[in-house]
Amino acid sequence: MHDTYGRNPRLYPKELEAQHSDAPRQLPRIGTSHQMNWVEACKGRAEATCPFDYAAPLTETLLLGVVALQAGAPVRYDPRSMAIPNAAAAEQYLRRNYRGEWSL
């Protein structure tokens, strides 16, 4: 168990934590917040604690899971066309219609 962004890790039961108290730290620690680490990585001044080439596909996968839950059916996503060919009803969860005065 741990707090937000992996801070204050601990094992339960406490006896198990005591047995592994000398476990080596394998990942680098950052001296700033998660958000500032992300900003600095975007600017090329630091390495992101979760590299973008890993985080982006992971986020896309998780969001597609949400789409499948909302659609109530399995989805087969085509990343090239950014479409769901097997579940047309799920397409509504991929994009939004902006009001007339708003656009991207």
Side-chain angles (χ1 to χ4, degrees):
M1 181 176 223
H2 57 78
D3 296 340
T4 305
Y5 304 118
R7 289 194 174 109
N8 191 24
R10 51 208 177 270
L11 293 173
Y12 293 108
K14 286 293 188 182
E15 298 80 35
L16 186 61
E17 185 170 8
Q19 290 173 12
H20 298 283
S21 62
D22 60 345
R25 289 186 171 201
Q26 297 178 324
L27 300 174
R29 303 305 194 250
I30 58 171
T32 182
S33 69
H34 170 76
Q35 293 83 356
M36 284 311 298
N37 172 253
W38 182 82
V39 168
E40 294 298 316
C42 288
K43 293 179 177 182
R45 297 181 190 159
E47 187 176 328
T49 55
C50 186
F52 299 134
D53 60 342
Y54 171 83
L58 176 63
T59 301
E60 187 175 42
T61 301
L62 293 172
L63 291 175
L64 285 169
V66 173
V67 168
L69 287 171
Q70 289 293 321
V75 297
R76 288 198 184 102
Y77 180 65
D78 177 11
R80 291 188 188 266
S81 65
M82 295 177 64
I84 301 173
N86 74 311
E91 290 278 334
Q92 66 180 315
Y93 302 113
L94 294 182
R95 294 168 197 79
R96 69 175 60 196
N97 295 322
Y98 293 95
R99 293 179 287 177
E101 65 272 15
W102 301 94
S103 65
L104 287 180

